[in-house]
């Protein structure tokens, strides 16, 4: 029994010596962590976000905590699309102001890239409402917002079989925006209205 104990203690001593000698020769390197960058989660998969399902699985929307792609209020004639802006990076320090606007450029870019058909309808910006300015608070990783669209245009019967799209873009003086995910074409497929009996 004493021999086994001695062998075990010798083994521990050798292991400790190996660890100490290895750690003495290790150089600690200082690394710069990536800076915070802003992005729209809806733009992550190809800069086109298609709303084409009435019911979806939890977690398939680009807005943290949201369980739907859209909210429809027939009484007010408004279709609401929930979106969000995130910041990527090691920390969430500092408040960040973000500008948001609606324009057709992301839609035209998607058409040129072959991601959208050339005959897609664009939703005029004057038929939408959105917050022009957002703030990601200090310590927070994201901020939610929504775009409200006039349902009457979306249900326009002569063009009912064509998808409708509008673009959402962001910018900020406080943080860099990821150029690959700073704008998105939001596509509304008319099939959702058929499913809802509209």
């Amino acid at each position: 029994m004493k021999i086994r104990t001695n062998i075990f203690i010798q083994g521990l001593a050798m292991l400790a010596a190996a660890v100490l000698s290895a750690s003495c020769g290790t150089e600690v390197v200082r690394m710069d962590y990536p800076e915070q960058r802003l992005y729209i989660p809806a733009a992550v998969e190809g800069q086109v976000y298609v709303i084409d399902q009435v019911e979806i699985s939890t977690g398939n929307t680009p807005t943290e905590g949201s369980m739907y792609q859209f909210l429809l209020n027939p009484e007010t004639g408004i279709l609401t699309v929930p979106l969000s802006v995130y910041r990527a990076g090691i920390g969430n320090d500092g408040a960040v102001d973000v500008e948001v606007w609606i324009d057709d450029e992301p839609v035209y870019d998607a058409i040129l890239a072959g991601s959208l058909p050339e005959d897609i309808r664009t939703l005029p910006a004057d038929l939408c409402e959105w917050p022009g300015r957002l703030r990601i608070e200090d310590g927070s990783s994201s901020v939610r917002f929504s775009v409200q669209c006039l349902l009457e245009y979306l249900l326009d019967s002569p063009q009912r079989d064509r998808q409708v799209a509008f673009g959402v873009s962001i910018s900020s003086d406080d943080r860099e925006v990821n150029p690959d995910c700073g704008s998105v074409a939001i596509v509304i497929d008319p099939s959702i209205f058929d499913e809802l009996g509209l």
Side-chain angles (χ1 to χ4, degrees):
M1 189 68 159
K2 283 186 178 180
I3 295 175
R4 286 186 181 172
T5 304
N6 286 340
I7 293 174
F8 178 72
I9 291 172
Q10 287 175 353
L12 283 178
M14 289 172 57
L15 180 62
V19 169
L20 286 173
S21 65
S23 65
C24 291
T26 302
E27 180 182 346
V28 177
V29 179
R30 183 179 176 87
M31 296 182 65
D32 292 327
Y33 292 110
E35 295 291 326
Q36 293 179 4
R37 295 175 93 185
L38 304 177
Y39 69 99
I40 304 173
V44 170
E45 293 186 22
Q47 297 178 311
V48 174
Y49 180 62
V50 181
I51 299 172
D52 61 356
Q53 299 176 49
V54 173
E55 295 183 13
I56 59 169
S57 301
T58 303
N60 287 351
T61 61
T63 305
E64 181 182 13
S66 177
M67 296 180 67
Y68 57 89
Q69 285 188 305
F70 67 95
L71 183 64
L72 183 63
N73 188 334
E75 292 179 12
T76 61
I78 298 295
L79 180 135
T80 300
V81 179
L83 297 166
S84 59
V85 176
Y86 275 68
R87 64 167 136 196
I90 297 301
N92 294 325
D93 57 306
V96 178
D97 289 324
V98 182
E99 300 291 330
V100 180
W101 67 94
I102 304 292
D103 66 348
D104 291 337
E105 189 172 337
V107 177
Y108 296 138
D109 289 345
I111 291 171
L112 288 174
S115 303
L116 290 178
E118 291 183 13
D119 67 339
I120 196 165
R121 288 191 293 162
T122 54
L123 183 65
D126 62 352
L127 299 181
C128 301
E129 285 188 14
W130 67 95
R133 192 175 186 87
L134 305 169
R135 172 168 277 217
I136 303 176
E137 298 295 343
D138 182 27
S140 178
S141 62
S142 64
V143 61
R144 299 180 195 182
F145 71 100
S146 62
V147 177
Q148 296 182 323
C149 309
L150 194 62
L151 187 59
E152 183 180 358
Y153 181 84
L154 300 173
L155 295 176
D156 186 17
S157 56
Q159 305 182 74
R160 179 69 177 267
D161 58 338
R162 292 166 58 198
Q163 293 178 325
V164 181
F166 63 92
V168 178
S169 300
I170 60 169
S171 67
S172 175
D173 292 332
D174 301 325
R175 299 289 189 278
E176 182 183 352
V177 174
N178 184 328
D180 295 326
C181 302
S183 61
V184 62
I186 307 291
V187 179
I188 301 171
D189 192 300
S191 64
I192 62 173
F193 305 120
D194 296 334
E195 286 188 60
L196 293 169
L198 296 175

